[in-house]
Amino acid sequence: MASVQPPPALLAPHRPSTAAALRFPSPTVSPRVSPSPAARPRRLAVAARAMPWPHVLTVAGSDSGAGAGIQADIKACAALGAYCSSVITAVTAQNTVGVQGVHAVPEEFVGEQLRSVLSDMSVDVVKTGMLPSAGIVKVLCESLRKFPVKALVVDPVMVSTSGDTLSGPSTLTTYRDELFPMADIVTPNIKEASKLLGDVSLLTISDMRSAAESIYKLGPKNVLVKGGDMPDSTDAIDVFFDGKEFIELRGLRIKTRNTHGTGCTLASCIAAELAKGATMLRAVEAAKKFVESALYHSKDLVIGNGPQGPFDHLFSLKSPLYKMGSLHKFNPDDLFLYAVTDSGMNKKWGRSIEDAVKAAIEGGATIVQLREKDTETREFLEAAKACVEICRSSGVPLLINDRVDVALASNADGVHVGQSDMPAWEVRELLGPGKIIGVSCKTPAQAEQAWKDGADYIGCGGVFPTTTKANNPTLGFEGLRTVCLASKLPVVAIGGINAGNAGSVMELGLPNLKGVAVVSALFNQECVATETRSLRSILMNACCRS
Ligand SMILES: Nc1ncnc2c1ncn2[C@@H]1O[C@H](COP(=O)(O)OP(=O)(O)OP(=O)(O)O)[C@@H](O)[C@H]1O
Ligand SMILES: Cc1ncc(CO)c(N)n1
Ligand SMILES: [Mg+2]
């Protein structure tokens, strides 16, 4: 039988692409015969429209307990939408108690793994974890010179949080002399920073700043000294230094035993965000927010009997409303701190809608709604489009109040409607399954109808008297409780909520009450970011107490 040649396109030279969609010959092609030795290797066509897929390569150790190491790296990258390949430098026998054994991979084989990945797959960012020997560090540096990448994130793993040594003093010198000068950022924890600087004592934020500055002089473009192990600190504070300014990244310290792998995860999140195009500081901020959220949502999970458990990187998949295949992007936890803009307040404080939204996100808002009752459509639409970009770059959903047309035209993430606006089922017809719909409800009957109409959440209020919305009867805690107990959908409380009473709302511990929506408490203030940050801290403390 004459052999049938595959179509010329399949013989095209294979140019590796991060997301080459592969086409195979139609079934009419003759059955595969074993290629003669001289036969040309099959070439696979690259899709006509290759979709970018941010790609991180982790060069790190395996943690048998899967809390840290390449296991944490792969989960963290997947959670943030990046692909993660892995070169294994060591295999550790490890669990929630500590590290029971380490086997380093021969450096020649680390080199072979590096060549396999770097020669075939376009890697955007390399992230390093445990590098157990100077020889492995040298092999890595050589590979990076041969196969340059966009960015190098170095997590100088020497001592795990459990206190176990993961790479010896001889490696330290090679880290400092060869790897650090190639790094875009290094992320030592307190113990590692101390070792890098000759076992100096690091007890205060000021010590962390000095350490960051000293480590910067070893060559990396940026340094992040992580404060997870800082004694007696109420917040989890990291110090970032870029050679010019110090930035303290402050997050709530989550009370939990499940902190195994926080450093690996942070560095991998930084790498993933850089691979997605973020600037370094934005990447670090997003990474810290991810770790804080993952710890918060995992705080009561229990695996293992030791003092340091793993946490859930894929916590967002556990949302009760996550339906495989429904394209539903809604995560009820996004309702935690809901910023609702107000055109009058923006005018009063002389700030644009975009500035108001940026500041709220900077302060930690988890979802944003543009409620612009007095803005002309054209101006509103332009602002909405700009805010969609702002929110999307931070992974924060953006909803439009009432105006379905503006939501569609700006490709916002959804719409929030009141009882006198378009019914939710009509909105769903127009927006389709992949958008978020919220409905304002005061009664169990309205909550039931919102659920029947296919809404994703309900806003219940006004909980307290409010000036933001006229003729808005106050429900109080009892009214909120009644609706929450009846609702089949997640609930966000709204109406007169501020720093003084938000904690008491969350401490009610009502089922499916996922957060609070605020207007004046954020936007009728001089500094939106500060007010948002303060409110977020109050809410997280309240939730830890409830
Ligand atoms: N309990 C906590 N609550 C909130 N954030 C935390 C907590 N513990 C650590 N972090 C944060 O996690 C990130 C990693 O810091 P950490 O000091 O834990 O790194 P590490 O010691 O290298 O971690 P590991 O070695 O376990 O991977 C930092 O942003 C830190 O602020
Ligand atoms: C394999 C491995 N890499 C990194 C860390 C950091 O904690 C760990 N504990 N184990
Ligand atoms: Mg670490």
Side-chain angles (χ1 to χ4, degrees), residues 328-331 334-335 338 367 397-400 412-416 427-428 431-438 454-457:
H328 249 294
K329 295 187 293 185
F330 179 59
N331 174 359
D334 285 340
L335 296 173
Y338 198 149
I367 186 169
L398 177 78
L399 274 70
I400 306 295
D413 294 301
V415 169
H416 184 94
V427 178
R428 180 60 70 198
L431 295 189
K435 297 290 185 178
I436 301 167
I437 297 174
D456 292 291
Y457 74 87

Side-chain angles (χ1 to χ4, degrees), residues 155 157 159-161 189 192 226 263-264:
D155 182 20
V157 172
V159 182
S160 77
T161 303
N189 62 27
E192 289 151 354
K226 301 171 295 188
C264 308

